[in-house]
Amino acid sequence: MRALLLTRYGGPDVAELHDVPRPEAGPDDVLVRVRAAGLNPVDFKTRQGMLKPVQRYSLPVVMGNELAGTVEACGRGVTRFAAGDRVFARMPKGAMGALAEYAAVPQDALAHMPATLDFAAAAGIPLAGLTALQALRDELKLMPGSRVFIPGGAGGVGTFAIQIAKWLGAEVTTTASPRGRALVERLGADTVIDYTAQRFEDHVRDMDGAFDLLGGETLEKCFGVVKRGGTVVSVAGMPEPLTARKDLGRGPLLTALFWIASYRLRAQAAKNGVTYRYLFMHPSGAELAELAALVDDGKLAPVIDRTFPFAEVAQAFAYLESGRAKGKVVVNIQD
Ligand SMILES: NC(=O)c1ccc[n+]([C@@H]2O[C@H](COP(=O)([O-])OP(=O)(O)OC[C@H]3O[C@@H](n4cnc5c(N)ncnc54)[C@H](OP(=O)(O)O)[C@@H]3O)[C@@H](O)[C@H]2O)c1
């Protein structure tokens, strides 16, 4: 089968299409005929070797973290899926393998895709959709009337975050450039700050929580816009001790490393009376089924910016890496 293979860490040329054997499905796995795979910044960060401290792969490895397709075959222990089912998944951490004609997916990571979507639209949901759900509902615990700040609302995660925050009943303030304004307004953002013309820290205050998608200076400024007792959840800043213990299930060594690495950020947060949390999202078929139900109920819709044929996967990566995507970038594996 054709697959995008990472042979060493580096620039765009280290990931290429190759013919490789089909993956073997274990007893609890579903062999999926992949129709479309979503791209995420984690894909190029992995290729660059940036994530080696938390996630090492033995190379060569098939890339890709999320997919939609049809069930080709099921392992003996698989109870919830049957051949021909239309499914989608965020691949398990440490596995990848979505950018290929076939992928073996543990049934726990898999769900039936929304009935109302095609494969390309469904493939754009799992990683960014689960990240937004876990950050806003489980970490920030948004509820009706909560006020949340989401810097970077026009991208892959942001477009889900705005919709999920609105579904939870929150009031949403976000940032976007003029290129993204119409999109974030259509998704339900109550207040939009043009980050190319205004400093959000001059206009945003007393938020119950913030969901940072940009890291760096933006994250640091988020501590000043959340009221005392609130929380700033980031997926783009520096991991902290809970990231190691809760999200990665790792021991005291990585916990201590993250304690040191996040010390300055946690101190800044504490000075402002807020809590800093770095979330490393987790795959979950059960939570994906919740997202599918939201889509079929008309409460959530993936925003697909561009789709590319598999032969142009390098161009798809380059487009995502430009940092300008509006919603998701998806690769059609088989038409
Ligand atoms: N920890 C985890 O589990 C986890 C999970 C998912 C994602 N992430 C991370 O979360 C980050 C966001 O991911 P993504 O998929 O949303 O990325 P993305 O789709 O590439 O984000 C691109 C968007 O960001 C906007 N943007 C860029 N600079 C901005 C700024 N200064 N202010 C406001 N908006 C800005 C761009 O809008 P304009 O073109 O209009 O500027 C564009 O629409 C990445 O770092 C990713 O690795 C982490």
Side-chain angles (χ1 to χ4, degrees), residues 39-45 90 93 127-128 131-132 134 150-159 175-181 183 193 195-196 200 212-215 218 234-237 278-282 319-329:
L39 291 192
N40 295 277
V42 68
D43 297 313
F44 60 77
K45 291 179 184 177
R90 193 283 193 224
K93 285 189 190 164
L127 198 149
T131 302
Q134 292 164 11
I150 305 174
V157 178
T159 48
T175 57
S177 72
R179 296 178 295 270
R181 173 179 281 274
L183 171 63
I193 293 168
Y195 77 85
T196 66
F200 71 78
D212 164 56
L213 305 173
L214 296 163
T218 300
S234 177
V235 288
Y278 180 92
L279 172 72
F280 199 41
M281 62 81 62
H282 57 269
Y319 181 60
L320 182 72
E321 259 177 282
S322 76
R324 300 277 81 91
K326 298 288 163 288
K328 295 282 308 186
V329 177

